[in-house]
Amino acid sequence: MKHLYIHVPFCTRRCSYCDFSIAVRKRIPAAEFVTAIKTELDRVGPLESLETVYFGGGTPSLIPPEAIGTLLPYVFNHTPPPYAVEVTLEANPENVTADTAAAWRRAGINRVSLGAQSFDDRVLQWMHRTHDAAQIARAVALLRAAGIDNISLDLIFALPESLARDWDQDLDRAIALEPSHLSIYGLTVEPRTPLDRWISRGAIQAPSDDRYADEYLRAHLRLAAASYEFYEVSNAARGGRRSRHNSAYWSGRPYLGLGPAAHSFDGRTRHWNHSAWEAYRRAIAAGESPVESHEELSAEQRELEGIYLGLRTLEGISSSALSRPLPPASALIESGWLVSDGTRLRCTPSGWLRLDSLVSALTGNPAIS
Ligand code: SF4
């Protein structure tokens, strides 16, 4: 496996829309975390040389840079050279200082994915974010000054109308910072989140599908005009700076995940760890496997997943790579949702808006809809 994901589950506060498996902590148990990840890595044993390492969360920028500076060499002690070419850290803007940025760079981090979400302080407060807009620009400048210029910004679109969020302005402010990569995610209302409760009691209205589609398509136009290429349904890059780590997921390559809730995939079987930090930590401390469960994908499931993942990407799918012919896609092409160059089939931006139903229509598999 050439791709390693390390899940850092800690956050200081839960964002209003977030249903991820996180551990909200005022004091981050960094030493326990480092010990647990090292122990899990020892259980896995030697790895092949890695192309990418990705610290995701949660909020990985909450653990001290020294913890990352301890973990990365430990990881590379388990792998032969060459060492990973892309080492990403997800960070919240308020955690970026001149010192942390320099320490991350020294530790080997060469790509940072910043959770910006919006440049409107009112909206950031509504989201329960722990930073303001000014901290985003400051974080980008500090990262560049430390030598980390491969920077991605996350933005959330399709917010409830009553917030009167100016999506175009947020896109323009993000583009003005000239990140090499942007990820845009539509707001979804997940059960048991603060947002879900606000909507249930009528304090705010759920965002409409029309707003979702309109803002998504506007992002495509604005980012294309600024030379960004959407190479995946939610991700755009310029200067060829796609996320190599996430691209490995979308092309079905094997990966190893360490930490609570982390998933691993060997090409046939997927397994995942206990999602709660305490359950994970206890299993590791007791010398037990942290794996909660696994699933083995049948050939049919792997093919279906390959179609779904392929259509997420700009490259789309090759019909000759499939074991059975796809049904005629002409109606979907005429609708403007798919394009074909004769050998490959890929989604247009409008197609990406209805990806699940397109995959169902192409495969006849109602499981995806
Ligand atoms: S920082 Fe990220 S993981 Fe943490 S609560 Fe907010 S959205 Fe969830």
Side-chain angles (χ1 to χ4, degrees):
M1 295 182 204
K2 295 185 170 298
H3 306 281
L4 172 66
Y5 175 82
I6 299 176
H7 188 74
V8 186
F10 312 110
C11 293
T12 49
R13 185 185 186 192
R14 185 175 285 277
C15 297
S16 58
Y17 50 83
C18 179
D19 74 335
F20 292 172
S21 174
I22 59 166
V24 176
R25 294 284 186 281
K26 284 208 163 54
R27 190 193 71 82
I28 306 302
E32 293 97 312
F33 177 76
V34 169
T35 301
I37 297 293
K38 283 180 170 178
T39 309
E40 188 182 2
L41 192 53
D42 290 342
R43 288 181 69 90
V44 174
L47 307 174
E48 54 181 313
S49 65
L50 293 169
E51 288 176 12
T52 65
V53 179
Y54 193 105
F55 289 90
T59 311
S61 54
L62 280 177
I63 59 169
E66 305 79 63
I68 293 164
T70 304
L71 276 177
L72 274 176
Y74 200 81
V75 165
F76 292 135
N77 274 341
H78 284 69
T79 68
Y83 300 126
V85 291
E86 181 189 275
V87 185
T88 303
L89 179 81
E90 287 182 354
N92 274 0
E94 73 275 18
N95 299 139
V96 184
T97 65
D99 288 346
T100 56
W104 293 336
R105 185 71 200 98
R106 277 197 304 277
I109 300 293
N110 57 18
R111 182 174 185 272
V112 168
S113 174
L114 274 180
Q117 317 311 358
S118 172
F119 289 82
D120 181 332
D121 284 340
R122 217 174 25 91
V123 167
L124 291 169
Q125 279 168 19
W126 177 83
M127 290 177 172
H128 290 174
R129 298 294 299 177
T130 45
H131 63 90
D132 61 23
Q135 285 171 310
I136 304 169
R138 202 175 308 139
V140 169
L142 289 168
L143 289 168
R144 287 204 174 112
I148 301 173
D149 66 346
N150 196 357
I151 298 169
S152 179
L153 297 181
D154 283 2
L155 293 176
I156 297 183
F157 67 96
L159 302 182
E161 201 163 344
S162 55
L163 284 175
R165 186 269 193 95
D166 188 333
W167 176 230
D168 290 341
Q169 192 178 76
D170 267 354
L171 285 170
D172 288 347
R173 290 190 64 179
I175 291 166
L177 294 176
E178 306 206 322
S180 49
H181 190 279
L182 280 152
S183 300
I184 63 158
Y185 301 107
L187 184 74
T188 52
V189 183
E190 304 297 343
R192 294 180 296 281
T193 56
L195 176 60
D196 182 39
R197 289 194 288 277
W198 297 341
I199 290 172
S200 303
R201 64 167 191 258
I204 195 151
Q205 274 204 319
S208 72
D209 290 349
D210 286 350
R211 189 177 187 85
Y212 189 105
D214 176 57
E215 293 192 353
Y216 181 73
L217 296 175
R218 288 216 315 273
H220 273 264
L221 291 176
R222 254 183 154 78
L223 293 185
S227 304
Y228 289 91
E229 178 181 62
F230 266 86
Y231 66 100
E232 196 265 349
V233 59
S234 301
N235 289 280
R238 71 179 177 193
R241 287 186 137 174
R242 299 180 176 196
S243 163
R244 294 174 65 143
H245 185 84
N246 289 333
S247 295
Y249 296 153
W250 302 319
S251 53
R253 271 178 256 151
Y255 51 85
L256 172 68
L258 301 176
H263 284 54
S264 301
F265 180 58
D266 65 6
R268 281 180 174 274
T269 305
R270 185 174 289 124
H271 69 254
W272 52 93
N273 288 347
H274 294 293
S275 57
W277 157 243
E278 280 304 329
Y280 167 83
R281 190 192 60 76
R282 271 199 303 272
I284 291 281
E288 295 165 4
S289 165
V291 173
E292 181 179 70
S293 192
H294 72 279
E295 64 175 344
E296 181 154 351
L297 303 184
S298 65
E300 193 186 356
Q301 283 172 316
R302 291 203 302 275
E303 182 176 283
L304 187 63
E305 199 165 284
I307 294 171
Y308 180 75
L309 291 173
L311 284 175
R312 288 180 66 137
T313 68
L314 184 63
E315 283 66 40
I317 52 170
S318 160
S319 38
S320 64
L322 302 169
S323 63
R324 56 180 174 199
L326 289 173
S330 53
L332 304 172
I333 293 172
E334 276 166 28
S335 301
W337 297 335
L338 290 175
V339 286
S340 171
D341 63 3
T343 55
R344 297 194 76 81
L345 207 53
R346 62 182 178 82
C347 285
T348 63
S350 302
W352 270 332
L353 277 170
R354 43 182 65 76
L355 180 59
D356 290 353
S357 51
L358 282 184
V359 175
S360 291
L362 285 170
T363 62
N365 191 319
I368 302 202
S369 62

